């Protein structure tokens, strides 16, 4: 647990800085944007108290809302994703696994981790773009944003996980 006191603030600051200064300026085809800060929730240790997970996700979302001019959208979507994290993780882990571990390809296995990330990121992107657009009059653009951002964000999270948790 003491390792989390160092790891989580560093991850928080790194993901916020990268999102604000790099990833917010990437708009592929006018609508696809990498939302890599969701990796903060993916990297939460299993067994983290829910109140702490929700509070940290809300604070990260609020921080990004301030810098990206999306009032309440990111904080609401991050809080909902943090609320779903333990339940989704339970779907993809084996029952005889450890009680406290960080979800990654090395701890879950490649296929369960990829499925976990796709479901979490897909749900997050659906909530994020639904709140951001707040209407469904242009359904095709909404679908393009959700699917495209889910694919791009998932690919970046898998690459980051591979880089951070590789075994030499």
């Amino acid at each position: 647990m003491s390792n989390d006191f160092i790891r989580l603030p560093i991850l928080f600051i790194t993901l916020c800085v990268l999102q604000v200064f790099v990833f917010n300026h990437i708009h592929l085809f006018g609508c696809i944007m990498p939302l890599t800060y969701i990796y903060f929730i993916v990297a939460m240790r299993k067994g983290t108290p829910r109140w702490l997970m929700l509070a940290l996700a809300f604070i990260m979302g609020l921080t990004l809302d301030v810098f990206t001019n999306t009032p309440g959208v990111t904080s609401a979507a991050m809080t909902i994703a943090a609320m779903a994290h333990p339940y989704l993780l339970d779907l993809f882990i084996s029952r005889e696994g450890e009680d406290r571990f960080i979800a990654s390809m090395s701890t879950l296995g490649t296929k369960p981790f990829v499925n976990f990330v796709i479901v979490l990121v897909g749900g997050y992107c659906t909530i994020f773009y639904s709140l951001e657009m707040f209407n469904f009059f242009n359904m095709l653009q909404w679908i393009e944003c959700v699917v495209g951002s889910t694919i791009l964000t998932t690919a970046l999270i898998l690459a980051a996980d591979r880089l951070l948790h590789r075994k030499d």
Side-chain angles (χ1 to χ4, degrees), residues 115-167:
N115 290 337
F116 168 67
V117 170
I118 288 171
V119 170
L120 187 67
V121 171
Y124 177 81
C125 288
T126 302
I127 294 165
F128 180 83
Y129 284 109
S130 296
L131 291 173
E132 186 182 53
M133 291 182 179
F134 207 66
N135 66 43
F136 295 101
F137 291 116
N138 197 348
M139 189 65 113
L140 184 59
Q141 182 184 10
W142 178 80
I143 291 171
E144 288 172 351
C145 288
V146 169
V147 172
S149 292
T150 299
I151 292 169
L152 182 59
T153 303
T154 300
L156 289 172
I157 286 175
L158 294 176
D161 181 76
R162 186 78 168 178
L163 184 68
L164 294 173
H165 295 103
R166 71 175 169 202
K167 296 178 183 176

Side-chain angles (χ1 to χ4, degrees), residues 58-110:
F58 178 77
I59 291 168
M60 180 173 231
L62 194 60
T63 303
L64 289 167
D65 280 335
V66 167
F67 288 109
T68 60
N69 197 23
T70 55
V73 173
T74 307
S75 56
M78 284 288 285
T79 305
I80 292 170
M83 196 177 342
H85 175 271
Y87 302 109
L88 291 175
L89 190 57
D90 284 342
L91 293 175
F92 296 104
I93 62 172
S94 62
R95 296 294 173 219
E96 64 273 354
E98 296 178 36
D99 286 340
R100 299 193 43 80
F101 66 91
I102 298 169
S104 68
M105 279 188 221
S106 59
T107 57
L108 288 178
T110 303

Side-chain angles (χ1 to χ4, degrees), residues 37-73:
Y37 51 86
I38 190 74
Y39 185 69
F40 185 72
I41 293 174
V42 172
M44 288 282 197
R45 188 176 300 277
K46 182 182 184 311
T48 301
R50 289 211 173 97
W51 66 268
L52 180 62
M53 191 179 294
L54 291 172
L56 290 174
F58 178 77
I59 291 168
M60 180 173 231
L62 194 60
T63 303
L64 289 167
D65 280 335
V66 167
F67 288 109
T68 60
N69 197 23
T70 55
V73 173

